[in-house]
Amino acid sequence: MPSGIWVLGFVSLLMDISSEMIHSLLPLFMVTTLGAGTIAVGIVEGLAESLALVVKVFSGTLSDYLGRRKGLALNDHWSVILAGVALWGIHMGMTQGLLATMVADVAPTDLRGTAYGCFNLACGLAMLIASLLAGFLWDRLGAAFTFYAGACFSVLAIIGTLSSPVTQHRRTG
């Protein structure tokens, strides 16, 4: 691999680390330095996360309208394409493979971009609601209760996923 790729990868790694460090400290800064309440932190966090996901509705619809998908390389050599596909596959498998498959299973082929956009819209709205609820629970009942509620919602999500028709079809089919 060219040295430029290694350098860009290392820079990207450092940027991700610094972003995560700041992202994790932002609520603490807002509460202790700015004097914001935990509900305000929930609103800010929810808006930031949901806005990023809501925008994907428009990119998915635009993709369907133009009939073009993302351009994941500038080099068309088979080894570069193979490496890109492998890295992309690992990324998707570790992050959203199951959810993307579920969307693809139920969406018409000509509207898959729109379906993915709507899926991301729902994720963004859910993220906003979850952040607001977490801020409210933290403010009213304390940090421990907020994490217990998150654990309960996770268990409910697992149960819902296991009992969904798509999941049952995949296990039996």
Side-chain angles (χ1 to χ4, degrees):
M1 223 181 301
S3 61
I5 299 296
W6 284 102
V7 170
L8 288 175
F10 186 69
V11 168
S12 177
L13 173 70
L14 293 176
M15 288 181 65
D16 286 346
I17 291 171
S18 65
S19 299
E20 291 302 320
M21 288 171 58
I22 294 300
H23 188 265
S24 63
L25 293 175
L26 181 61
L28 182 64
F29 172 76
M30 289 177 65
V31 172
T32 59
T33 304
L34 299 179
T38 52
I39 293 175
V41 172
I43 291 171
V44 169
E45 290 285 317
L47 286 174
E49 293 291 333
S50 63
L51 182 62
L53 294 172
V54 166
V55 169
K56 292 183 180 183
V57 168
F58 302 107
S59 65
T61 303
L62 183 62
S63 171
D64 287 338
Y65 177 76
L66 296 175
R68 292 177 36 186
R69 306 299 181 223
K70 291 182 179 178
L72 297 181
L74 296 176
N75 190 330
D76 61 357
H77 189 267
W78 69 269
S79 63
V80 174
I81 293 172
L82 181 64
V85 168
L87 290 173
W88 179 73
I90 290 169
H91 166 72
M92 291 304 290
M94 290 173 49
T95 56
Q96 298 216 1
L98 177 62
L99 297 174
T101 301
M102 291 170 131
V103 171
D105 284 348
V106 298
T109 305
D110 60 331
L111 294 176
R112 281 197 179 143
T114 301
Y116 285 122
C118 289
F119 168 73
N120 284 303
L121 171 65
C123 288
L125 293 174
M127 181 74 70
L128 175 61
I129 293 167
S131 294
L132 288 171
L133 181 60
F136 177 79
L137 291 175
W138 191 309
D139 189 51
R140 301 289 187 226
L141 302 171
F145 190 85
T146 304
F147 288 102
Y148 293 141
C152 289
F153 286 129
S154 296
V155 169
L156 290 174
I158 290 169
I159 292 169
T161 301
L162 293 176
S163 64
S164 80
V166 174
T167 306
Q168 289 176 356
H169 171 72
R170 290 206 175 278
R171 281 188 278 169
T172 60

